Amino acid sequence: EMVNLKKLTKMYCALSPDAAVKAFRDMDESTVVKLLGLMKESDFQPIFEAINRSTGPDAKRLAQLAEKTRLVVRPGPSTNKP
């Protein structure tokens, strides 16, 4: 699953932020959170800005997804030293 998620993440990073948000509207919530969680900050920042500009019935859902993604713990560099 992780290999597929990483491939999808690259694909959505290549889209315009508005196109990515449009795709996320119909996507399963957990998948969106995983995809956004795998993105670099420089990639997801424009998408979050597009989410904040969203209007319509699913704007609240998109905002909730952004908040859930913010709470995802991103793996950092290993601090374990032998």
Side-chain angles (χ1 to χ4, degrees):
E1 179 187 25
M2 186 56 75
V3 172
N4 289 335
L5 284 172
K6 287 182 178 183
K7 287 179 183 179
L8 283 172
T9 298
K10 285 184 181 182
M11 184 182 78
Y12 287 110
C13 287
L15 295 175
S16 72
D18 290 329
V21 170
K22 185 175 180 180
F24 292 161
R25 290 174 195 253
D26 298 323
M27 198 177 291
D28 175 71
E29 180 176 302
S30 64
T31 302
V32 175
V33 171
K34 288 176 187 176
L35 291 172
L36 291 172
L38 288 171
M39 291 181 184
K40 297 177 191 173
E41 185 175 346
S42 60
D43 292 326
F44 72 69
Q45 194 64 34
I47 293 173
F48 277 15
E49 290 172 8
I51 288 171
N52 287 332
R53 291 191 309 266
S54 294
T55 58
D58 57 351
K60 184 176 180 180
R61 176 183 175 264
L62 290 169
Q64 290 171 340
L65 289 174
E67 179 63 16
K68 286 180 182 182
T69 302
R70 187 185 67 77
L71 299 174
V72 170
V73 176
R74 288 187 167 71
S78 177
T79 56
N80 295 340
K81 295 182 181 178

